[in-house]
Structure formats: structure tokens, C-alpha cells
Amino acid sequence: MIVGTLKGFDQTINLILDESHERVFSSSQGVEQVVLGLYIVRGDNVAVIGEIDEETDSTLDLGNIRAEPLNSVVH
């Protein structure tokens, strides 16, 4: 999951995110946050865009959140 401040977008949903970071989930460790900074995401890689409640987000204990890996995509 990539979290950042939306700075711009175009008609094909290409996104420009500032102050962004990727949250990497693991089944054995807490959530790792990888700093990305200014980041451009191609529109065909976007599945969901939403607004984060910063107050709620700041209360999350990311070190204790675990998640199982997603299953492979079957075509």
C-alpha cells in the first residue's frame, strides 16, 4: 500500500504523490514503512484511491499489525 499526499493526476489516473511511503505488510513482522518521497504511479497500477483519517491513522500500532500474503492471480 502506498500512502502520500496527492499533488496531481491526469485523465488516465496517473498520480503524483508527495511525502509518500509504502507500507509493507508481513505475516511474521509488523508493518515496514519504506520512504519514497515524491512518487509517480501509473494509472494502470491503481486499484483504489481513498482519503485517510490522519487522527485514526496516527493511533494505529503498525508494529503489531500482521497480514497474510495475497494469493497469486490466476488468468
Side-chain angles (χ1 to χ4, degrees):
M1 173 190 328
I2 297 177
V3 179
T5 303
L6 182 64
K7 292 294 184 178
F9 63 94
D10 64 12
Q11 67 274 13
T12 58
I13 314 175
N14 294 318
L15 306 176
I16 301 172
L17 300 175
D18 195 15
E19 302 174 10
S20 62
H21 58 275
E22 181 177 9
R23 292 182 178 170
V24 180
F25 295 85
S26 168
S27 59
S28 61
Q29 302 173 358
V31 177
E32 177 187 0
Q33 295 200 77
V34 179
V35 177
L36 303 172
L38 184 64
Y39 203 70
I40 298 174
V41 181
R42 284 183 45 111
D44 56 352
N45 292 317
V46 176
V48 176
I49 299 174
E51 184 175 5
I52 293 179
D53 182 337
E54 291 184 25
E55 185 178 327
T56 303
D57 190 57
S58 66
T59 63
L60 293 175
D61 183 9
L62 296 176
N64 286 324
I65 294 177
R66 306 287 189 267
E68 293 298 321
L70 297 174
N71 294 328
S72 300
V73 175
V74 178
H75 295 281

